[in-house]
Each structure stands twice: as structure tokens, then as C-alpha cells.
Amino acid sequence: MLRLFSTIQKELILLFRDRGGLAIMFLMPVAMITIMALIQDAPFRDYQELKIPLLLVNNDKGNLGTTIEAGLKESKIFEITKQNSDEAAVKKIIKGGNYEIGIIIPPNATQLLNEKVNQFVSKKLSDVGLSDSTPTRVNNTPEELKLLIFFSPETKKSFKASILSSLKQSTSKLETQTLLTYFSKELNKENTEIKTEQRMDDFINFDEVNTVETPKEALLLNSVQHNVPAWTIFGMFFIVISMSGSIIKERDDGSYTRLLTMPGSYITVLAGKITAYLFICLTQCFLMLMVGIYLLPHLGLPQLVIGNSIPAIILTALFTGLAATGYGVMVGTLFRTHQQSSTFGAVSVVILAALGGIWVPVYVMPDAIRMFSEFSPLYWALSAFHKIFLNEGNVVSVLPYLVKLIAFFGCTILTAFAINKIRKA
Amino acid sequence: MTTPSVAVEVKHLFKTYKGATSPAVNNISFSIESKSIFGLLGPNGAGKTTTISILCGLIQPSKGDVALLGLSLKNNLEEIKQRIGIVPQEIALYPALTAYENLRYIGNMYGLKGSALKKTISEHLEIVGLQAHANSRVETFSGGMKRRINLIAGILHQPEILFLDEPTVGVDVQSRNLITEHLRLLNKQGCTIIYTSHLMEEAENLCSDITIVDNGEIIISGKPKQLITENHTENLEQLFLKLTGKKIRD
């Protein structure tokens, strides 16, 4: 134990005296968290509170135009601008890029709808012998009712489909209502009573049920909830540079050789080194979470919500730290110079971070890239933190990620030992 | 613990590195008497470092037997490690730590602690004239000061055998003199010293026995004065050049 504690003490003294290293380990993640949270705040809000600019030309004076307009407003996803323009002008405006969608409701749209419905009802009733008179308008085929929809050239197919479906939904109710009104009128002639003055209710209703029962309001992934754990993990993994540098320096200056000639296993020395760096990782994590809870709200950002499972947070931080230090040991053993290890360490951590969803959430990545995310330890760590922070995760629910992180630690340490063994031969 | 009369016994030692075409150490056998100062000399690439590395347990021999202090190296490595000390050629210290912190760490690694360790460190620093610099960082020291601390780091735990690889390389005359005087003192106290150097004059003055190796083989062994006389040379350097040639080694 003396050897272990003495190594921990020595490593901590060395770490605290390396001011440049400390700045990288602590100030860099704070700066990254603050800057990225501020930068990404607006895009995250846009993503969640998306308002699509829509240009509406409502030439109809009747129910149909009003219903469509009301439906669009109710959906709360459009920022509606009303304007009186013709087809060519709307087309030009949409192409100009200021609006994602343009809709033109033709004049007399309500009247055309009524005519079409009336003709349809009369024909159907006549077919079954319930109507004694064929409407006079039946012979005159009504003008086709067409709503014109313009999409910006950049609009995705799936988005177009969802908009069309939304419009269809808001107009179908009116169609049905009109249909019933006309049926009622015709049947009333046959002394059958159907009250149609009542507003027709939906037969099937959809209720959105929140899957998370947080004590506070339901929490969505916002800039703070993403960036604080993300850059904390990044900072923890950046310890690779300092740790691998320390291993290489010890090897270069002969201290490693001296340590090997001393009694006891080198594993104890390595355990001491890992423990010291793990302590730094945990301190980093604690401080970064404090930044999210106490500092970011002062900058106009939401406060970090850390869920309810402190043990899960501690274990996730611990296992993430182990994965980071194990990676540091492996890089330090694999490379012969500090320059090689620092370059590889930095680049590999940045790549693993990008794949792991540190820069941008994994769900916005293409499928091909998302596949690789599954192999990034930073992704496992981030997923565990998201599970705890956003989904009321606990130790059990983050266990799969913890297992992966500890397995990664084991693999890196074994690789380092294998490299040493090969070199010793 | 009694020290046997033979401190080191090496029998038919071979070492061939992976991928090498010829052995670095090729069937060498020698023994080192207890309480002697033994010089293992040879040009670059002769096999000195490989031999010392095997004796310290750093690398495994391909073949052969090694016993230190009467114990087989193969079966008693941990006990042997506790009883030997190493002073590597490199300044194997942590520059950002003070002299005292470096020595405390190394002492702790040998199981020394508390006031006993503090007293030992203080005594050694006093002997090498660095007591006043105990709390200064090693990175602020001159080359000679670093070498002296490097020496203390290898002897804090009072080893029975001390291995030194070029302990005085690149230091001023005063520091070199202080180091060699300290080595003589340690030897008088019963420590067997095994020493490699390219400084033939220093080896001639310091060593009671020498072995010159070249191409992984022993080419001569004995007392320096005796070998110089027998080979009709004036000093150890002449003997060395006579036996190993004047061709520059890389």
C-alpha cells in the first residue's frame, strides 16, 4: 500500500505543478462547455421550437379558407404571413428562400366545395332511391377545387409529406362536416332528422403521453443538457495526452527502468498512476457539472438537470475516467515519443468524440456514421449521462454502458501489457 | 542476513534479441567477489548493458544461470530486487519534484518510510553536499547535482550490490571526485559495486577487478594493475585499445 499511496502522491504533485497541463484539463472543458452551450443554444431551440415560415394567400371568403388558416395556426409549427399575391408572385417568393412553404386558397373555394359535396350527395341518394329530385346543378360539373402548395426547392420529401398530411387533416374535417350537412338537408326532405348544427367531434383522439415522469417539467435535450456531459467526457478523455506523456517521459528518463528494478510489481505503480489521473477525471467531472448547474444559468442558458441518481452519476464518471486513463496508458505504451503520443492522442480523441456525438447529437448523424458511434467509448459515456439526466436513469439502466466502459479499460490495459511484453522479449 | 563470499555468479549466459542475427551476450561466465568494485568495460555494443540488464532482472536471458547473493535470479527476483540498487546512466528523477520528494518517493518504493527515511535522506544529502538544496526542484539543478541525487536514489535502501551505469558521465571534476569518493565509502561499508564506464582512468583507480567484453564475449578478466603489467601496457586505456582495437564503434 505504501508503494501505491506514494505513487499517487507523486503523480498528484507532478500534475499540480504542471500548470499548462492543468489548464488543458480544467479550463479547456469549461471553455468548451460554455462556448458550445451558448453557440448551440439557438439551434437546439430551433430544433425543438421549430417555426416554419409559411406564406398564405387566402382568396376564399368562406369556411374552407378560414378552417385551413385556423388549422395551420393550431398546429403551432408555422410562422404564417398572409399576403395577397398571384401564383407567379408566390412561386417567386418561395424560390427566393424567405418562406419554406406557400399556400394559395383559390377564390370561392368554399362555394366550390359545397357544390361538389352537394352534387355527390344528391347522386348517392338518388342511386339508392332516397331522393325524388336530382339537383339541377348535377348536370353542371363544378369547377375543380385546387389548393396550390409551393415548397422551397431544398425541402425534404419526408417534410413535404408531413405538411401535406397536416393540411389534408385540417381540410378533411370540413369536408366531412359539409358532407353531413348536405346529407342531412336531403334526408330532412324525407322527414329524417339529423342534427348537424352541432360541431362534429373527433371519433379518435390522440393524447401525447410523456414517457418521463420528472419531478419538474418534462425535460428535452437542450444545449446545456447535451454540451455539459459531452464536453465533460471530452475533457476527461483529453487526459490521454498528459497521461501518455508522463509514461513516455518516465520511460525516456530512465525512471521506468528504475521502477522495474524495484521490489514489487509494476502493476502497483501503474495502479497508482491510474488512481491519480482518475482523481483528476472525477474532479473535472464534478467541476463541469457545477458549471452546468451554477454558471451557465448566469449566462442566460438553462440550468443543467442531473436527474435523481447520484450513484449512477458517480459510477458513470468513475467508469468513464477508467476508460480514459486506460486509453492513456495504452497510447503512452504504444508510442515512443511524446510528440507521437500527443498527436495521436488528440486526433483520436477528437475522432472518437465526433463519432460519439460530442460535437452534435448522434441522432442527427447519417446512418452510416451512426453505426460507428456504437464503438466509441465517448458515446457509451454520453449515452449513460443522457440516460441519467434525461430519462430518470439509475445504476441498473446505465449498466450496459458501464460494462462497455470497463471492458474498454480492460482491453487497453491488456494491450499495454502485451506491447510491453513483446518489447521486453 | 549474511553476505556470501561471491556476490554475483554468472554461468554460460546467452542473450539473443528477437530478430537479431548474432547474440548480444555470447556464452559468458564470471563471478564477482563480495565487497569488491567490479568494472564491466567494453566498447559500444559490446554487451555490457545487456549483461547488467539481465543481472538486474530487467530482461530475461536466452540461456544460462545467474545467481546474486547466493540466490538464483530466476526464482528469487523479488528478494534480490530488495537487496540491490541501480544507478542508471540517465538522470532517472522527476524534474518537477524537489530532491527530497524524489528521494522520499524512491525510499517509499523500497518500503522505507517515516522519520527513518527522512534521516537517511538527510544524511546522504549532507554527504554529497546537497542538504541546502533538499527542497529545490531537480529541474533547477546543474548536471553534477543531478548526478549526485541520482546516486543517492540508488543507495537509500543500503543495497548489498550496487549497479552503476556510467555514473559520472558529463559531470564536472569536483562532482566526479565526490561521487567516486562516495562509492569508495559505500564499498568500505560492505557494498559490492558493479560499474560500467568509458572513463578508463576512473575505472583503473576505482575498480578492484575488471572484465572487458567485446562482441558479447569476455576477452579479459582480472585485477587492473596485474592485467596492465601482463599485457605490457602503461595504463588501462592502452590495454583497452590493444584488446578492442581502435576502430570506432557505433
Side-chain angles (χ1 to χ4, degrees):
Chain A
M1 289 307 270
L2 178 66
R3 285 164 56 87
L4 179 70
F5 286 127
S6 188
T7 307
I8 295 169
Q9 184 189 37
K10 180 258 296 180
E11 290 295 339
L12 288 176
I13 294 172
L14 289 173
L15 278 165
F16 287 119
R17 285 189 185 158
D18 177 14
R19 287 180 187 170
L22 279 182
I24 290 176
M25 282 184 264
F26 290 99
L27 294 181
M28 188 267 293
V30 171
M32 293 303 268
I33 284 172
T34 311
I35 294 166
M36 296 306 280
L38 284 167
I39 289 173
Q40 291 187 359
D41 188 44
F44 264 97
R45 280 181 203 272
D46 283 353
Y47 183 77
Q48 284 157 10
E49 301 157 21
L50 199 64
K51 292 273 185 191
I52 303 155
L54 183 144
L55 180 66
L56 180 66
V57 181
N58 186 3
N59 296 320
D60 183 40
K61 305 294 172 204
N63 268 348
L64 183 61
T66 317
T67 306
I68 290 172
E69 198 177 321
L72 292 171
K73 277 180 186 164
E74 265 176 40
S75 74
K76 290 178 185 169
I77 59 166
F78 299 110
E79 196 182 317
I80 301 166
T81 306
K82 286 178 77 178
Q83 197 172 309
N84 286 323
S85 304
D86 60 5
E87 190 179 330
V90 171
K91 205 171 179 178
K92 199 177 168 187
I93 292 167
I94 298 298
K95 270 181 130 179
N98 288 335
Y99 295 92
E100 188 89 15
I101 306 159
I103 297 173
I104 299 179
I105 305 169
N108 306 321
T110 308
Q111 192 190 330
L112 284 169
L113 174 70
N114 288 339
E115 283 173 5
K116 279 186 85 75
V117 170
N118 186 21
Q119 187 188 42
F120 174 82
V121 170
S122 300
K123 187 171 186 307
K124 290 293 165 192
L125 290 176
S126 168
D127 288 348
V128 293
L130 281 172
S131 177
D132 54 354
S133 64
T134 306
T136 49
R137 280 169 289 201
V138 163
N139 294 331
N140 308 328
T141 307
E143 197 184 324
E144 200 175 356
L145 172 55
K146 271 186 182 174
L147 299 182
L148 299 179
I149 302 175
F150 304 81
F151 286 107
S152 157
E154 291 86 23
T155 308
K156 286 183 178 175
K157 271 185 183 175
S158 57
F159 184 68
K160 281 182 189 176
S162 76
I163 296 299
L164 287 170
S165 154
S166 170
L167 280 170
K168 203 95 178 126
Q169 195 193 354
S170 57
T171 55
S172 68
K173 201 185 251 182
L174 185 71
E175 280 176 352
T176 314
Q177 191 88 42
T178 312
L179 204 61
L180 273 174
T181 307
Y182 276 89
F183 263 116
S184 176
K185 271 185 193 167
E186 290 301 319
L187 289 172
N188 278 342
K189 288 178 191 170
E190 304 292 328
N191 298 321
T192 309
E193 199 175 313
I194 297 176
K195 288 182 179 176
T196 58
E197 62 273 17
Q198 286 174 269
R199 197 180 180 279
M200 198 180 78
D201 290 327
D202 290 334
F203 294 112
I204 301 169
N205 294 298
F206 293 91
D207 261 2
E208 187 186 337
V209 181
N210 202 333
T211 51
V212 182
E213 292 172 2
T214 53
K216 297 177 182 177
E217 60 184 26
L219 192 65
L220 290 168
L221 184 65
N222 60 34
S223 173
V224 169
Q225 293 299 129
H226 171 73
N227 282 298
V228 174
W231 294 105
T232 301
I233 294 163
F234 184 79
M236 287 165 87
F237 266 83
F238 230 70
I239 213 162
V240 165
I241 294 168
S242 169
M243 195 171 186
S244 60
S246 151
I247 289 170
I248 288 169
K249 199 166 179 297
E250 259 182 6
R251 203 167 55 216
D252 283 350
D253 69 15
S255 302
Y256 173 71
T257 306
R258 197 200 283 277
L259 289 168
L260 289 181
T261 63
M262 290 174 175
S265 167
Y266 182 68
I267 292 172
T268 315
V269 177
L270 198 59
K273 196 181 271 291
I274 289 171
T275 309
Y277 279 86
L278 194 57
F279 171 76
I280 296 291
C281 282
L282 294 177
T283 310
Q284 272 182 320
C285 186
F286 175 76
L287 289 176
M288 299 315 132
L289 295 186
M290 292 300 111
V291 165
I293 295 169
Y294 296 110
L295 176 68
L296 297 188
H298 290 291
L299 302 173
L301 292 164
Q303 187 180 43
L304 178 74
V305 177
I306 59 167
N308 293 320
S309 181
I310 299 296
I313 295 172
I314 293 171
L315 281 177
T316 304
L318 187 72
F319 282 54
T320 305
L322 278 174
T325 51
Y327 191 51
V329 171
M330 191 183 79
V331 171
T333 311
L334 187 64
F335 292 96
R336 292 189 186 272
T337 68
H338 191 201
Q339 201 179 4
Q340 287 174 343
S341 75
S342 59
T343 308
F344 178 85
V347 171
S348 64
V349 169
V350 168
I351 291 170
L352 288 172
L355 290 175
I358 301 296
W359 301 89
V360 289
V362 169
Y363 61 78
V364 300
M365 292 181 190
D367 288 343
I369 300 292
R370 211 181 300 176
M371 200 173 68
F372 291 107
S373 300
E374 296 288 338
F375 299 100
S376 169
L378 283 86
Y379 172 71
W380 306 329
L382 187 59
S383 301
F385 275 119
H386 279 171
K387 196 110 190 159
I388 300 163
F389 293 175
L390 302 170
N391 297 92
E392 296 288 293
N394 54 26
V395 176
V396 176
S397 57
V398 297
L399 210 54
Y401 302 114
L402 300 186
V403 169
K404 284 180 184 177
L405 287 166
I406 197 74
F408 179 80
F409 169 71
C411 288
T412 52
I413 296 295
L414 285 176
T415 307
F417 272 100
I419 293 165
N420 265 334
K421 200 164 184 181
I422 291 165
R423 285 199 185 137
K424 218 177 164 185
Chain B
M1 208 174 288
T2 53
T3 308
S5 60
V6 175
V8 178
E9 182 86 60
V10 174
K11 286 181 185 168
H12 307 294
L13 193 68
F14 286 87
K15 176 66 188 178
T16 307
Y17 289 106
K18 207 175 177 183
T21 50
S22 57
V25 173
N26 191 7
N27 191 21
I28 64 169
S29 301
F30 62 91
S31 60
I32 301 169
E33 279 178 37
S34 282
K35 298 169 190 173
S36 63
I37 301 182
F38 179 83
L40 185 63
L41 311 174
N44 288 340
K48 301 186 301 287
T49 306
T50 302
T51 306
I52 295 283
S53 297
I54 293 171
L55 296 185
C56 298
L58 285 171
I59 55 172
Q60 298 280 325
S62 305
K63 243 190 329 185
D65 294 315
V66 177
L68 275 82
L69 302 163
L71 301 166
S72 160
L73 184 68
K74 202 175 173 182
N75 303 321
N76 303 280
L77 186 59
E78 278 308 299
E79 190 187 335
I80 288 170
K81 277 181 173 179
Q82 186 66 49
R83 294 170 69 182
I84 64 170
I86 322 283
V87 180
Q89 187 179 341
E90 302 91 355
I91 306 291
L93 300 167
Y94 299 95
L97 297 185
T98 65
Y100 178 77
E101 285 165 346
N102 267 290
L103 296 172
R104 182 185 60 194
Y105 174 61
I106 289 161
N108 286 161
M109 298 307 278
Y110 280 104
L112 307 174
K113 57 182 174 179
S115 55
L117 175 61
K118 210 170 178 180
K119 191 168 168 262
T120 309
I121 292 172
S122 183
E123 282 170 3
H124 279 94
L125 287 172
E126 189 69 53
I127 292 169
V128 298
L130 290 171
Q131 181 65 285
H133 302 278
N135 294 315
S136 301
R137 290 193 195 182
V138 168
E139 63 197 358
T140 63
F141 286 7
S142 69
M145 290 161 87
K146 285 177 186 169
R147 284 267 163 222
R148 281 180 268 162
I149 299 291
N150 204 31
L151 173 65
I152 298 173
I155 59 175
L156 266 182
H157 62 295
Q158 295 180 307
E160 291 165 65
I161 302 174
L162 178 64
F163 292 91
L164 298 117
D165 190 4
E166 307 263 4
T168 56
V169 72
V171 299
D172 60 294
V173 179
Q174 283 79 8
S175 285
R176 188 191 302 168
N177 181 56
L178 206 148
I179 289 169
T180 51
E181 284 307 313
H182 198 54
L183 290 177
R184 280 198 184 93
L185 179 70
L186 285 169
N187 182 244
K188 271 186 191 160
Q189 289 168 352
C191 180
T192 306
I193 292 171
I194 299 167
Y195 158 96
T196 74
S197 181
H198 286 111
L199 301 170
M200 292 301 137
E201 193 187 338
E202 186 181 281
E204 188 181 330
N205 292 330
L206 188 67
C207 299
S208 55
D209 297 277
I210 60 155
T211 284
I212 298 177
V213 291
D214 199 10
N215 298 317
E217 293 172 2
I218 293 175
I219 50 175
I220 202 164
S221 287
K223 308 274 178 205
K225 294 268 182 286
Q226 189 188 336
L227 293 175
I228 290 164
T229 313
E230 280 174 6
N231 287 277
H232 311 291
T233 51
E234 285 177 16
N235 52 39
L236 191 58
E237 188 164 328
Q238 275 189 13
L239 173 68
F240 186 84
L241 287 170
K242 188 178 175 182
L243 296 171
T244 60
K246 289 185 177 175
K247 192 182 167 190
I248 290 172
R249 312 291 181 93
D250 295 322

